[in-house]
Amino acid sequence: MTHFARIVGTGGYLPERILTNAELETMVDTSDAWIRERTGITQRHIAAEGEFTLDLAEQASRRAIDMAGIRIDEIDMIIVATTTPDQVFPSTACLLQSRLGVHGCPAFDIQAVCTGFVYALAVADQFMRTGAATTVLVVGAETFSRIIDWTDRNTCVLFGDGAGAAVLKQDTAPGILSTHLHADGDYANLLQVPQGVSNNLAAVQEGRAFVEMAGGEVFRMAVKTLGRIVDETLEANQLDKSDVDWLVPHQANSRIIAATARKLRMPVSKVVQTVAEHGNTSAASIPLALDVAVRDGRIKRGDTILMEGFGGGFTWGSALVNW
Ligand code: UT7
């Protein structure tokens, strides 16, 4: 018997500290006007000293669990998408499992950078369709501020910290209609932190391991690729563009989001945008945006939602969801 996965609760958490464009003007050679015009970003949240990815993930998870109205011991799988784990190991998912007081169920991290939440949702969906999991906590959580070179204007104006979470419950009807995952590692050098534990531990230890991005090339690839994945997702479900009620995109740049919306012939009023207030929170950006639109009542039961993401790897993917 086929089972389906339905999102029954969402949660988001943003650190208290807000970093404005005006403050960035005092740190690097940039301007509020440039940042707004080229990215749509006006502010981003930054984790406090001593506040870690796990802390953000826990807050978002508790809010999602509350909305779902489930008991914590019903959770039988935890997946955390993150590029900025607190430790080399254990995984952030295992640390979260302990924080939440869950015991015994599988818990693991997924690393697909900005596409991480879509990857995690797809993995959860597969486990739930086979009946191997019935109640899954899926989280996207990042402290990207820790891998940013705050003297590099090409990257430091773009990113922020945050976490978003979703609780998925098994259902007899979908839920998640389909997921579509892709990657092409040939593009690794266009968006990366080139150092890591194995190849340059000293850089990591000395705090010299930072995001590097060929912004323009990433921009062009993102627009092209996201356009293709919209087609792929609609074709797989034999749906028309007009059947999609909400676009919940990865929040990297308002111009990339606008291009995808144009591809869907969708008015901006049907696109959930949080990039202005959150900046790019990588794996957290889609679940954070989803949570905002669920809580403010825009997304309603029965709506069809297209989530899509693109990021380092390159990785890209989508999920079509019946709310
Ligand atoms: O989430 C994962 C995926 N990431 C993305 O999707 C990000 C994709 N890329 C982008 O969003 C955009 O490419 C950026 C926002 C990063 C840059 O926008 P752009 O319109 O592509 O600008 P550009 O790279 O063509 O740069 C234009 C100019 C350059 O100056 P020159 O070389 O033309 O003199 C940059 O040096 O803007 C300059 N610039 C800045 N100026 C003021 C770059 N960063 C800044 C800045 N403030 N912060």
Side-chain angles (χ1 to χ4, degrees), residues 1-288:
M1 181 182 157
T2 308
H3 310 268
F4 296 101
R6 180 174 295 283
I7 300 176
V8 293
T10 61
Y13 178 77
L14 293 156
E16 217 173 282
R17 158 120 170 82
I18 289 173
L19 177 64
T20 62
N21 291 351
E23 268 180 280
L24 281 165
E25 284 179 350
T26 69
M27 295 160 60
V28 289
D29 180 16
T30 191
S31 68
D32 175 49
W34 190 96
I35 302 171
R36 279 174 198 263
E37 196 181 299
R38 308 309 294 167
T39 73
I41 299 168
T42 62
Q43 61 171 50
R44 66 291 289 144
H45 292 251
I46 305 292
E49 213 183 306
E51 188 176 37
F52 303 122
T53 297
L54 171 62
D55 302 310
L56 277 48
E58 182 192 358
Q59 296 295 332
S61 298
R62 290 196 186 279
R63 289 171 188 180
I65 291 164
D66 266 4
M67 188 193 287
I70 59 156
R71 291 190 324 272
I72 272 191
D73 64 8
E74 287 178 65
I75 295 169
D76 56 12
M77 179 171 285
I78 299 175
I79 310 175
V80 175
T82 187
T83 306
T84 47
D86 292 358
Q87 300 180 204
V88 173
F89 70 83
S91 67
T92 310
C94 284
L95 301 176
L96 178 64
Q97 187 189 38
S98 169
R99 273 281 177 91
L100 294 174
V102 181
H103 302 279
C105 75
F108 55 92
D109 285 3
I110 279 187
Q111 158 60 302
V113 204
C114 300
T115 321
F117 185 76
V118 174
Y119 265 66
L121 214 52
V123 172
D125 185 43
Q126 299 304 321
F127 274 102
M128 294 180 82
R129 279 177 190 263
T130 62
T134 63
T135 311
V136 182
L137 174 63
V138 180
V139 185
E142 302 279 15
T143 46
F144 241 65
S145 62
R146 308 264 153 81
I147 51 167
I148 293 299
D149 176 356
W150 290 99
T151 65
D152 175 14
R153 71 174 186 174
N154 290 302
T155 52
C156 78
V157 303
L158 304 173
F159 295 95
D161 300 334
V167 172
L168 275 57
K169 277 229 45 110
Q170 205 175 55
D171 204 327
T172 49
I176 297 180
L177 295 162
S178 70
T179 56
H180 306 265
L181 301 183
H182 297 279
D184 192 338
D186 278 0
Y187 295 96
N189 63 345
L190 293 182
L191 178 51
Q192 61 177 336
V193 176
Q195 307 86 3
V197 174
S198 174
N199 87 355
N200 195 339
L201 185 59
V204 177
Q205 287 170 330
E206 290 159 19
R208 291 186 284 110
F210 297 129
V211 173
E212 293 177 8
M213 178 166 71
E217 284 169 80
V218 176
F219 186 99
R220 281 186 289 280
M221 278 294 290
V223 169
K224 204 166 73 185
T225 309
L226 290 172
R228 278 209 313 266
I229 205 146
V230 164
D231 289 337
E232 179 187 334
T233 310
L234 294 177
E235 264 168 42
N237 291 280
Q238 295 182 320
L239 288 179
D240 190 66
K241 292 180 167 103
S242 59
D243 295 323
V244 178
D245 297 302
W246 294 101
L247 175 65
V248 183
H250 170 49
Q251 311 282 324
N253 185 316
S254 59
R255 291 184 294 137
I256 297 176
I257 295 172
T260 312
R262 270 198 301 278
K263 170 90 193 171
L264 273 165
R265 285 194 225 104
M266 199 175 230
V268 281
S269 59
K270 288 292 185 185
V271 182
V272 180
Q273 286 217 53
T274 50
V275 66
E277 301 85 24
H278 299 178
N280 181 348
T281 57
S282 190
S285 96
I286 294 173
L288 267 169

